[in-house]
Amino acid sequence: MSTVSATSFSRRLARRNVSASRELRRTMDGSVVKNACLTGAESLLKTEEDFLSSLSQINTAVLNTLLQVTDAHDLGGDHWQALKLLNDRFHSLWELTASCFQALKQKYELLAVDLPDIYLMTKESHFLQGYTEYFVSATNYLVMKGFEKSAKQTSYWKANKKLLMQLVGEPMETPINVLLQRVLIEPFRDHVQQYSLLLSKLNGTLSKEAGIAPLTDCLTGFVNLQSYISQSLDEAFQTKILWGSLSHKLTAAFCTPERRIQEDSKSVPVTVTTGRFDRVLLFSDVLVFLQGSEAHIFNLTTVWADSTVKQKSEQNNHILRIVTPEEEYFLSTKDPQNQALWLWKLNQLIRQSLEGKRDFPLWGRTGEAANPPTSRLSKYTYKNEGRFKSAVYEGDMSWGKPHGKGTLKWPNGRNHVGEFKFGQENGFGICIIPDLSRDSYDCYKCHWRNGAMQGYGICEYADESVYKGYFKDNMRHGFGILENVVSTTNPFTYTGNWDKDKRTGYGVLDNSHKGERYIGMWLDNQRHGPGIVLLHTGSCYQGIFNANKLVGNGVLITEENLVYEGEFTEECLLSGKGKLMFANGFTLEGSFNRSGDSGLQTQGVLSTACGYQDQFLKRKHQFGVGTFPVEERWQGMFQQFQKYLQSGCKTEVEEMFLGFNVKSSKKVRKSQEYLYCQRDSEEVSCKIEDIMKEVSLQQAPEALKSYLEKAFNSSHHPLKKHIKMLSVAFQATYSGLGANLHLLSMAQEEIKYYAKKLWEFFRALIAMTADKVDRSHSRLQSEEISEDLNPYTLILPAILPRFHPDLFMLYMLYHQQEDALYWQGIVRLGVLTDTKLLEFLDVQRQLWPLKDVKLTTNQVTRRPGIPHKTLPTPRPRRKRYSIVKHKCFNSATECLQKIISTVDPEEKLEIILKTYKEIETTVSRVVNKDYKLPMDDLLPLLIYVVSRAGVQHLGAEIHFIQDLMDPSNRGGIYDFLLTALESCYEHIQKDEIRLFK
């Protein structure tokens, strides 16, 4: 770490030199400046001429000879490379000096030397860089004892010793290695001193002239270079002495050409308080604790140092705290000056190590240098026992602990990329764990807390199964979905609750290989408790399971509408005592058994007394109602949102709930796209501060509805995350095999419970907003919510579009037979003319919106486009009523047809009310006065409108509204009209209409 960044010098000084050239040219008119420039140039040329001559001699007599007589094998790899580098740096400096010398000489011969031509100023950066690089290579060669090894070629050096002594002006007998060292160091050091003297003299001459600030800066640069050379040589000599005093083992362990000793506890006393080590060495890049021949080396980039408060037992000592990624040490010294020196040098060397270069000069910033950052990018390999053993960490660190974004890699291929906090995985992270048995790996993309998976995550396992859900302490816990749809042997999807990595609680298993779905309770990965089994054939079963086996009695309904109540085998087959009810109403009660050859056999009593109505009710038997309390089905999902609210909507808990990192960079967010959809440009903010602010500004019910609709469609909004999970669970239960009419009640009460819980959460959010947001700016508070706002009016309209397709399918299946009878009636009534239909329905003639027109025989019989002579014999004159279909309650008919255009029960009720008003308005226009329809008049007119509207699945629509409408509408006008519509629906099903011809 003793090298100084050449690039840093070049950039800094080149910019300064350009500015200097411009400024100096403005001072060239004065004769004082011109004379000073000529004098300075003359001195510089004379100095450079002697120096270039010396360089030529050194190159010929020393460097070339060193390269020729030195054997790379004998010298060693590091020494040989150091020698080659020294030779390269020598020639670079020689070429720079020679080229500048020639340019100045030409100017001087023409007596046209200006101050910018003094190349020490315009080429300052090049000279500083050249000399620093040369002395780095020279001191490296010195530290590695290159001069001693090169001096072993005594046969040559004895013959040339006098020449070496002449080059350094040494009259006394001196060892060869010292002469070589002086020849390659002293001429350069002395020449830099001459540069400084020349610039100082020139600066003194021009001190009264304007615009010579660049000259002063240049002088400062060469003075700093002198300090740098002196300090680097001092460090090199001290380091060389140290390597000579240590054992060969220790020297081999951490001796490198660039490493320099900075402090030694033998020189500036300091001890490690634990007593485990007897010597402390501080180098330019590492801190070393020695114990005998054992060395503990700490890279300074992963060392933190500060002073500590003294304890009572340490009143006579001054303590330094040294923090490393795996251990913490305390250094003690009795002298406060020693403590200050060690702490200052440690922090400055740590900073320089992090910057990748030494200061210039090496210790030129004493008292004003900045301390190293506590948070920094570091790389460290863990050695101690623990879960990080042998792992390499690369990323942000603070006080020896991973803190921020980083990567952990183990030798076995495991790695973790993500966020850390105080040494533990904390926040979003991706962990890959190899599975050698499958030559693949498990990939965990999850939220972490205190080193363990906590919160939402997605895991892709080596067996190609995928888990999406929540974790606790590295185990699947809470709501989650595990699926392996690509498996050729056992494709499955489990949606439900987990406890300590096992399926426990309420859950749904869809096994496409077997063609069955299990809905019910689990314990330790086994079906345990009440459960429902749906088969691809259409049959369904409800019973009790114990450790995956059926126990006790159950109910089976087949695709042919046979209902069996009784005992079963483990495979849901009839076996034991039971009662079988046939589709025609017959019942068979007795004992059932099944054999492989004979099939199902029974011995019992057959009864034919059961009526159609009893059989009809049995066919619509509802599973799950009361068996699985709705508030216990999806606790894992609701608990996560509850924790989020209870935490005050803290960001960390939000991340655990949502499954993405709010503060992560764009680069990290790219790797998280699998966790959520991309944002839309018009979506609401997901930040809790923005959510609270926006909620606090809402007051009108329509504004709140609009906000909720946006929230449920915003990719990152907590409510969207929750409703999305509910939607997934609902589809897993009630779509596909779950589209079974015997699950309608379960699904319907589940939807209402969703709305209730979301309403509770929204009210809690409003209450939290009232506490955190300035009440003077808040229009809405929890206790001030309008009585008109409830789960049915605010939540259901926003969430029903997500559940309606699957839910309404259950309603259609449940009312399939009634709707079929109703549609037969609609078809029969559709062939009637308006007048015939009104007559058939006994609508009072005064309420007909049709004119009574008497038609002649010709009008009755003539048809357009047919010649009169071809018509049959005219019939007797009679009265007929014109058919003006588009005027006969057409507005009411069109209005009722809109009932299928919305999924909101409230809007459907509004359509029914508007249909009634349209009928009443038409009648009032016919009778030419306000007319309130009594039930006797309303019902036949409503039947007429219903028959003409032809709304399919009207029975499903009516019961959908009845089940999900606001209970406050019970007994009001909406309830009255819905009852009237249901009466019309039932009337159209009657035999006299279905059989009408």
Side-chain angles (χ1 to χ4, degrees):
M1 291 301 298
S2 63
T3 57
V4 181
S5 174
T7 304
S8 174
F9 282 132
S10 300
R11 292 177 179 172
R12 176 169 57 86
L13 296 177
R15 288 194 298 267
R16 195 172 72 187
N17 291 341
V18 171
S19 176
S21 299
R22 293 174 180 171
E23 187 172 352
L24 287 172
R25 290 187 185 279
R26 291 194 291 268
T27 69
M28 294 298 98
D29 295 335
S31 60
V32 175
V33 175
K34 290 182 178 180
N35 291 334
C37 290
L38 287 171
T39 303
E42 183 179 8
S43 300
L44 182 57
L45 288 172
K46 183 177 180 181
T47 300
E48 295 291 60
E49 191 171 11
D50 294 339
F51 181 60
L52 289 171
S53 177
S54 298
L55 291 182
S56 179
Q57 292 178 346
I58 293 171
N59 180 59
T60 304
V62 180
L63 277 177
N64 287 344
T65 305
L66 278 174
L67 293 170
Q68 291 173 6
V69 304
T70 303
D71 186 277
H73 179 73
D74 294 338
L75 193 61
D78 289 341
H79 294 78
W80 178 249
Q81 292 299 326
L83 177 59
K84 289 175 62 179
L85 184 61
L86 177 61
N87 180 66
D88 293 341
R89 297 287 186 255
F90 177 90
H91 283 86
S92 296
L93 194 56
W94 187 6
E95 291 172 4
L96 174 64
T97 306
S99 62
C100 290
F101 170 77
Q102 292 298 329
L104 180 60
K105 186 177 180 181
Q106 291 175 5
K107 287 282 187 178
Y108 181 75
E109 290 174 350
L110 297 173
L111 299 178
V113 178
D114 292 333
L115 197 56
D117 296 320
I118 306 299
Y119 53 77
L120 293 181
M121 299 180 60
T122 56
K123 297 287 188 178
E124 176 194 1
S125 62
H126 296 80
F127 276 87
L128 293 182
Q129 178 179 338
Y131 275 96
T132 53
E133 289 179 348
Y134 178 78
F135 274 94
V136 165
S137 60
T139 53
N140 286 351
Y141 195 64
L142 186 154
V143 167
M144 301 301 291
K145 297 183 180 181
F147 296 109
E148 284 80 353
K149 292 192 175 184
S150 297
K152 291 181 180 180
Q153 302 293 334
T154 55
S155 59
Y156 174 81
W157 297 119
K158 283 182 180 180
N160 295 275
K161 190 171 184 179
K162 288 184 179 181
L163 178 59
L164 293 176
M165 294 174 66
Q166 290 175 2
L167 288 173
V168 296
E170 178 59 59
M172 300 177 61
E173 187 71 20
T174 305
I176 296 299
N177 65 298
V178 176
L179 288 175
L180 290 173
Q181 177 179 301
R182 291 180 62 185
V183 166
L184 291 173
I185 291 177
E186 288 184 359
F188 297 90
R189 181 177 60 184
D190 295 342
H191 197 63
V192 170
Q193 185 177 7
Q194 290 178 349
Y195 282 158
S196 299
L197 291 173
L198 188 149
L199 290 170
S200 178
K201 184 177 180 180
L202 186 60
N203 185 60
T205 303
L206 300 176
S207 61
K208 296 181 180 180
E209 299 297 323
I212 63 165
L215 178 58
T216 304
D217 293 340
C218 182
L219 175 59
T220 302
F222 278 92
V223 170
N224 287 338
L225 178 59
Q226 281 186 276
S227 298
Y228 168 78
I229 293 171
S230 177
Q231 292 169 359
S232 62
L233 288 171
D234 182 59
E235 284 186 357
F237 283 119
Q238 294 297 326
T239 305
K240 176 183 174 183
I241 294 171
L242 175 68
W243 295 144
S245 67
L246 296 177
S247 67
H248 177 74
K249 178 181 178 182
L250 289 176
T251 302
F254 51 93
C255 174
T256 63
E258 300 83 6
R259 185 165 290 161
R260 302 289 185 268
I261 186 66
Q262 303 297 317
E263 286 299 342
D264 187 343
S265 60
K266 285 188 175 182
S267 303
V268 181
V270 70
T271 59
V272 182
T273 58
T274 58
R276 293 165 51 192
F277 309 102
D278 52 25
R279 191 174 181 182
V280 180
L281 299 175
L282 176 60
F283 291 90
S284 53
D285 61 337
V286 294
L287 177 65
V288 179
F289 293 164
L290 295 180
Q291 179 63 48
S293 60
E294 298 296 327
H296 292 258
I297 306 173
F298 306 97
N299 192 304
L300 289 182
T301 59
T302 54
V303 171
W304 285 256
D306 68 351
S307 58
T308 63
V309 179
K310 293 187 291 186
Q311 304 296 326
K312 291 183 179 180
S313 60
E314 302 168 346
Q315 290 301 314
N316 297 325
N317 294 329
H318 299 270
I319 305 299
L320 287 176
R321 182 169 70 116
I322 306 297
V323 177
T324 68
E326 296 189 84
E327 293 189 70
E328 187 172 309
Y329 302 91
F330 294 92
L331 304 183
S332 174
T333 177
K334 297 183 181 299
D335 190 339
Q337 286 77 21
N338 290 349
Q339 180 200 39
L341 178 61
W342 274 91
L343 180 60
W344 182 80
K345 279 205 169 183
L346 263 169
N347 279 329
Q348 300 320 304
L349 289 168
I350 291 170
R351 175 182 54 77
Q352 293 174 26
S353 295
L354 292 171
E355 292 174 354
K357 62 184 181 65
R358 298 291 302 277
D359 287 344
F360 181 80
L362 297 177
W363 296 104
R365 298 167 64 182
T366 306
E368 61 183 35
N371 287 331
T374 56
S375 296
R376 63 187 71 153
L377 285 172
S378 302
K379 185 175 182 179
Y380 183 78
T381 302
Y382 289 88
K383 304 173 184 64
N384 294 348
E385 291 294 332
R387 63 191 186 93
F388 286 177
K389 184 179 180 182
S390 301
V392 178
Y393 175 79
E394 189 169 1
D396 298 326
M397 266 192 172
S398 179
W399 289 104
K401 305 296 182 185
H403 191 81
K405 300 185 187 305
T407 303
L408 272 171
K409 294 183 180 180
W410 282 263
N412 64 356
R414 175 179 177 177
N415 67 72
H416 179 98
V417 180
E419 296 189 343
F420 294 80
K421 187 175 182 180
F422 304 127
Q424 302 283 0
E425 299 93 327
N426 204 91
F428 176 77
I430 300 175
C431 183
I432 293 178
I433 301 177
D435 187 333
L436 299 179
S437 63
R438 292 185 172 89
D439 193 23
S440 185
Y441 55 84
D442 297 337
C443 182
Y444 297 85
K445 308 164 188 177
C446 189
H447 185 91
W448 301 69
R449 185 176 182 182
N450 298 330
M453 288 184 284
Q454 303 276 359
Y456 187 80
I458 295 180
C459 300
E460 300 165 355
Y461 299 104
D463 64 358
E464 297 187 311
S465 61
V466 178
Y467 174 81
K468 301 178 183 180
Y470 290 93
F471 286 83
K472 182 179 179 181
D473 298 330
N474 282 335
M475 293 183 286
R476 292 169 291 197
H477 191 89
F479 174 77
I481 303 169
L482 178 66
E483 61 181 356
N484 190 346
V485 295
V486 299
S487 173
T488 57
T489 57
N490 186 30
F492 70 91
T493 300
Y494 172 79
T495 305
N497 199 63
W498 297 77
D499 184 59
K500 296 180 180 179
D501 226 25
K502 295 183 178 180
R503 293 190 287 262
T504 298
Y506 182 77
V508 179
L509 177 65
D510 200 335
N511 191 319
S512 56
H513 180 69
K514 291 184 178 180
E516 69 176 33
R517 176 177 298 173
Y518 173 81
I519 304 171
M521 305 306 294
W522 296 76
L523 181 65
D524 294 339
N525 284 334
Q526 294 183 322
R527 296 179 291 182
H528 191 88
I532 299 171
V533 177
L534 306 174
L535 302 177
H536 71 282
T537 59
S539 300
C540 52
Y541 165 87
Q542 177 175 287
I544 303 297
F545 290 81
N546 188 333
N548 256 354
K549 298 179 181 179
L550 284 170
V551 295
N553 293 338
V555 177
L556 171 68
I557 302 178
T558 70
E559 61 275 21
E560 295 88 6
N561 295 324
L562 274 69
V563 180
Y564 171 80
E565 296 180 358
E567 298 176 349
F568 291 84
T569 66
E570 296 177 2
E571 293 77 23
C572 296
L573 300 176
L574 283 63
S575 180
K577 295 182 179 180
K579 180 179 181 181
L580 180 63
M581 289 161 279
F582 297 92
N584 60 4
F586 293 0
T587 61
L588 176 61
E589 189 170 358
S591 296
F592 297 83
N593 60 74
R594 181 179 296 274
S595 64
D597 298 331
S598 305
L600 181 65
Q601 297 178 347
T602 182
Q603 183 176 0
V605 177
L606 177 65
S607 173
T608 60
C610 184
Y612 173 82
Q613 186 64 26
D614 292 336
Q615 179 272 335
F616 189 77
L617 293 176
K618 286 293 183 182
R619 187 182 67 82
K620 294 193 175 183
H621 182 90
Q622 290 297 287
F623 286 165
V625 179
T627 306
F628 312 115
V630 66
E631 61 274 6
E632 297 178 6
R633 291 180 198 169
W634 303 112
Q635 290 183 347
M637 281 187 283
F638 295 112
Q639 287 172 355
Q640 293 295 333
F641 203 107
Q642 194 69 46
K643 289 178 182 177
Y644 169 61
L645 291 174
Q646 289 174 351
S647 74
C649 300
K650 292 181 179 178
T651 301
E652 184 177 358
V653 181
E654 179 185 7
E655 293 168 3
M656 293 172 62
F657 169 63
L658 294 179
F660 69 93
N661 191 291
V662 175
K663 298 181 290 185
S664 61
S665 66
K666 290 182 179 178
K667 185 176 181 180
V668 175
R669 284 188 181 184
K670 267 193 170 182
S671 67
Q672 302 172 18
E673 290 174 357
Y674 46 79
L675 291 180
Y676 55 89
C677 301
Q678 294 298 313
R679 287 172 177 259
D680 297 324
S681 58
E682 299 180 357
E683 68 180 8
V684 297
S685 172
C686 66
K687 294 181 179 179
I688 189 60
E689 297 83 3
D690 296 338
I691 291 174
M692 289 184 175
K693 182 178 179 180
E694 190 163 355
V695 169
S696 68
L697 297 176
Q698 309 301 328
Q699 188 176 22
E702 290 303 319
L704 283 173
K705 286 182 180 179
S706 176
Y707 174 80
L708 282 172
E709 288 176 358
K710 291 180 181 178
F712 287 136
N713 288 286
S714 173
S715 300
H716 294 173
H717 199 288
L719 287 174
K720 165 63 181 291
K721 175 71 175 183
H722 192 53
I723 197 67
K724 185 177 181 180
M725 290 192 298
L726 291 173
S727 178
V728 169
F730 192 85
Q731 290 179 0
T733 310
Y734 304 109
S735 65
L737 289 178
N740 191 298
L741 62 92
H742 304 291
L743 301 183
L744 173 60
S745 295
M746 272 186 68
Q748 173 256 122
E749 67 177 0
E750 209 163 289
I751 293 293
K752 291 194 286 187
Y753 184 72
Y754 294 167
K756 175 185 174 183
K757 292 299 293 185
L758 288 169
W759 175 240
E760 291 176 4
F761 293 154
F762 189 61
R763 286 180 66 96
L765 187 61
I766 293 173
M768 189 184 307
T769 301
D771 292 337
K772 292 190 176 183
V773 178
D774 186 356
R775 287 177 177 267
S776 63
H777 295 87
S778 178
R779 299 178 184 175
L780 183 64
Q781 296 181 14
S782 181
E783 62 273 11
E784 298 174 358
I785 296 177
S786 170
E787 294 182 356
D788 295 334
L789 297 179
N790 57 58
Y792 294 92
T793 59
L794 193 62
I795 304 297
L796 267 178
I799 69 172
L800 268 177
R802 298 179 177 276
F803 303 98
H804 182 265
D806 296 317
L807 179 62
F808 197 71
M809 175 60 71
L810 297 178
Y811 274 97
M812 289 192 296
L813 292 172
Y814 189 91
H815 296 281
Q816 184 176 11
Q817 185 168 349
E818 298 94 319
D819 278 342
L821 297 175
Y822 151 79
W823 196 250
Q824 289 180 18
I826 290 292
V827 172
R828 291 291 185 180
L829 296 177
V831 300
L832 299 179
T833 64
D834 289 355
T835 53
K836 283 290 185 180
L837 182 56
L838 291 171
E839 288 176 350
F840 178 76
L841 296 174
D842 293 329
V843 177
Q844 294 187 49
R845 196 174 297 274
Q846 64 177 356
L847 304 180
W848 290 17
L850 300 173
K851 293 182 180 179
D852 187 6
V853 180
K854 292 183 179 180
L855 303 178
T856 64
T857 303
N858 291 338
Q859 289 174 322
V860 174
T861 58
R862 183 179 296 277
R863 300 176 188 172
I866 302 177
H868 181 69
K869 63 181 180 179
T870 61
L871 294 177
T873 304
R875 298 176 182 175
R877 184 182 300 275
R878 57 179 177 175
K879 287 184 181 180
R880 292 292 303 274
Y881 295 100
S882 65
I883 303 174
V884 191
K885 203 168 188 178
H886 64 281
K887 292 183 180 180
C888 189
F889 300 104
N890 193 55
S891 61
T893 300
E894 291 178 350
C895 183
L896 184 60
Q897 288 173 338
K898 295 177 182 178
I899 198 171
I900 64 173
S901 65
T902 179
V903 301
D904 183 3
E906 292 296 312
E907 292 182 1
K908 290 179 182 289
L909 287 172
E910 286 290 340
I911 290 171
I912 296 173
L913 176 61
K914 188 176 180 181
T915 300
Y916 163 72
K917 289 181 178 180
E918 290 292 338
I919 294 174
E920 198 169 66
T921 299
T922 301
V923 171
S924 297
R925 188 173 63 250
V926 171
V927 300
N928 201 22
K929 65 177 181 179
D930 289 340
Y931 190 85
K932 298 299 180 182
L933 288 168
M935 190 63 177
D936 290 343
D937 290 340
L938 172 63
L939 192 59
L941 286 174
L942 191 57
I943 294 175
Y944 172 86
V945 170
V946 170
S947 66
R948 289 300 188 229
V951 177
Q952 287 190 332
H953 313 295
L954 183 60
E957 293 281 2
I958 292 171
H959 287 87
F960 177 84
I961 299 171
Q962 288 176 338
D963 292 339
L964 299 176
M965 72 179 188
D966 187 352
S968 63
N969 289 326
R970 306 284 182 192
I973 182 63
Y974 288 130
D975 198 14
F976 166 75
L977 292 175
L978 187 61
T979 302
L981 182 62
E982 186 176 14
S983 298
C984 296
Y985 171 76
E986 293 174 351
H987 185 81
I988 293 174
Q989 294 179 56
K990 290 182 179 180
D991 291 341
E992 60 264 26
I993 290 179
R994 289 188 293 108
L995 301 178
F996 176 79
K997 295 183 180 180

